[in-house]
Amino acid sequence: MNRRTSLALLALAVTDPARAAEATAGGAAFFEAKVRPLLVEHCYDCHSGAKNKGGLSLETKAGWAKGGENGPAIVAGKPDDSLLIQAVRYMDKDLAMPPEKKGGKLKDAEIAVLEEWVKMGAPDPRETVAKIAGMAAAEAKSWWAFQPLPALAKTPATPAQMDALIEARLAPAGLQAASAADKRTLIRRATFDLTGLPPTPEEVAAFISDTAPDAFAKVVERLLASPHYGEKWGRHWLDTVRYADSLDSRSYNQDGDILDAWRYRDWVVNAFNGDLPYDQFVTQQLAGDILAAREYDAQKVVATGLYAIGNWGNGDADKEKLHTDMVDDQIDVTGRAFLGLTLACARCHDHKFDPLTTKDYYAMAGIFFSSRILENFASKGAGEKLMRIPLLSPAQAAERAGMRKRVAEIDQYISSQLEPFTEVQRDVAGLAGLISWKGRAADNPSLTINTTDAPVAFSTIKLPARAIAMHPGPKVPASAVWRSPVTGTVKVSGRLADADPNGGDGIVWTVRHGGKVLRTAEMNNATTADVEEISVTVAAGDLISLSIGPRAEYTFDTTQIDFVIRDEQGAKWDLREALVGGAAQGLNDVWWLCSGEGSQLAKDDALAKKFSAERKQLDERLAQTDYAQGLLEGGIPQTRYAGYHDATVHKRGRYDNLGDLVPRAFPALLTKQQPLIREGSGRLELARWIASADNPLTARVMVNRIWQHHFGEGLVRTPNNFGKLGTPPTHPELLDALASEFIRSGWSVKQMHRLIMGTAAYQRSVAPVGQASQKDAENKLLSHQHRSRLTAEELRDAMLRVAGRLDETLGGKSAPDIFAPRRTLYLTTIRSDRTGFQMLFDGADPTAIVEKRTEATVAPQSLFLLNHPFTLAQAEALSAATAK
């Protein structure tokens, strides 16, 4: 087949007609979280209430749209044309805002927030001047989302009962239900809905030929039992909790990255496959480490990875602000994912719409300030390294501690010997001719050799042509050792120069003959030192060493060395010439480069040899430990919240403007009775409150999400916001019936699938009947099924499946290459990368708590499908298979 035919065949096998959908950018949430606090902090003094200078009010949307003396303040979607943006950029000194006397120009990051907001279209929910107290208590008590659920039924709910609640709305609206979808459409719909993959021709044929009344129910059961079910529905959850495999392409797979995010992703997949009751699903993510400490289960620790994958701007030099941003991210994802509430909007002020105060916010903040995802903060200006938690039971941890103690004992003995370097790396930092020798661990002493005729610069080090340099470990020196091949008198000399003068505390250098110190001195940073000639009487086999040790902090202690020994007969042994010329370790049994300092080489000590072999085995066993990133009890050490502490209100969200101390608790108007937090952070109490059958929000929010992913829209069309700015349910009785059944079933997600997919509403055709398109253009009353297009994952996975190339292995580390035949769930998602396949085809934004994906139709999508080597490869594989 030709290329066009192959592509057409692939498209036919994969896609159904797609529908255009309105993009949802979370604009109101963005405004409340980031824009309103800026306006309140910097603009309201002059542009709110009765103080509208220049006639401009920034207190409502209508205010900035009308503008002041110079016209509208904002041109939605066009930052460069907006007077507000021109003012904060200080483009015109007469319009520059805020003025110098009010604090002066905003920070670049603050200006960027306003620019992004205007670029989004300047979404602004402030139709009127907001009440400071938000939703009044009386209104909150009657708000639909906070109402108790109906009493739990004694018998399971049926699809027919759900249909009755839908059909009761159709006739009064003059609508007629669509006919049932044909069986081919139905199995395709169900298979994509539950597994994210297309049905095989054999599965389609089997369903079409099955005339039994329960034929479709059997299909649903088969799909729920498929391991691919967890992959599909796990992906839905990962959208909601801003999942990413990596924070930044510049630091991908390095220490500061979320190295173990994939374990959390696999935990989510396994939780859905195993139908982990949703109340436990919630509790383990919030407090799995606490549960594991009582009865160890490594997977419960992994579950807390939800909080380690947060989006809080790693690298901020202001560590106190960074700490508050981390906690804000954790409160935000807890509120929106589990409760459908924008709790984070109360960080800087009482929530303007919902019954949430700043005291409620900081009552919860104390819980997360008393927990940690970091061992400590990095130095100012450096990025943070997320804590890696060893997945060990108490017994395993004790065994590991014993192994580490034994390693320390061995190291103490071996460090009293001279242990030759064993690892060689060539072309260090990508520089040809630059060679490194080192010991077992990355921070052990090392040697660097520039074998070229030109100087080289790498990291902060500068090394002249044909030069060598040694670097000590944090405690153990690096030593150049000469083993005498002669008997007689020799003369020892040398020279040292700092090769890394950008920092450090200097070194201590020592020359030894066996165990005798011949000379020792300190050398300051950015200086040189001469080893003046020393005469030494030696016997064959004696050792003379030059050691470089740390004087204090060792990081910048790379030291260029020359070390020369001559005898009375004119023989010369020059270390630099030997190494630059390509000498290997132990050249002629004369030169040895080692860690440690002592009177003999470890290789000549039988006990040291035995210990080295034992240490190698211990290293291998210790390296086999698995790690996860997640939450642990106790605040970050060396902060005001080390241990367990209540938080103080941060006025206007500023950590340097503190108010009242607030005991750790949950939002007051949402709880009948506050459980006392007597020990620990309070996360377990928070988890049990959220996952309680008495909390009507949790069940309502989750069943709404399940409904959304079967119908394209939730019964509540703002899945992350059940508050006043959200939309009320289209079918409140149906939502409550589903939520009650969810709890009655033991919080079984799979039971919800059976109930929903068993309805006639789910099984209807997408074609509207009669005047449905005119009377109910958005299909809120569910007279027919919603038409939906394939997600980014479904599109790519389907191409691989129909081409016969899909690797269906579950779990494991992500694959960075789009050509990897793994499911798209397992392709590496990098938070900073906006250029990949998933972003092109409207995958979830890993920087956001996504309630619903956007759906865009843009030319690059067509170009990808027509021209990308991945698509062409699948098309060729499919055409080759069909030609057989």
Side-chain angles (χ1 to χ4, degrees), residues 488-501:
T489 300
V490 297
K491 297 184 183 297
V492 181
S493 62
R495 181 173 175 78
L496 299 91
D498 190 353
D500 194 357

Side-chain angles (χ1 to χ4, degrees), residues 299-339:
Q299 289 305 302
K300 291 177 181 175
V301 177
V302 172
T304 65
L306 163 70
Y307 293 99
I309 60 175
N311 185 25
W312 33 266
N314 194 355
D316 196 322
D318 187 340
K319 301 303 180 182
E320 286 197 72
K321 177 182 179 298
L322 182 60
H323 200 174
T324 63
D325 288 345
M326 289 166 50
V327 168
D328 185 67
D329 170 81
Q330 292 164 353
I331 291 174
D332 196 21
V333 74
T334 301
R336 289 203 267 168
F338 297 129
L339 297 169

Side-chain angles (χ1 to χ4, degrees), residues 98 150 173 226 280 375 455 467 495 514 580 635 838:
S226 167
Q280 295 181 38
E375 287 287 3
R495 181 173 175 78
V580 170
Q838 286 114 307

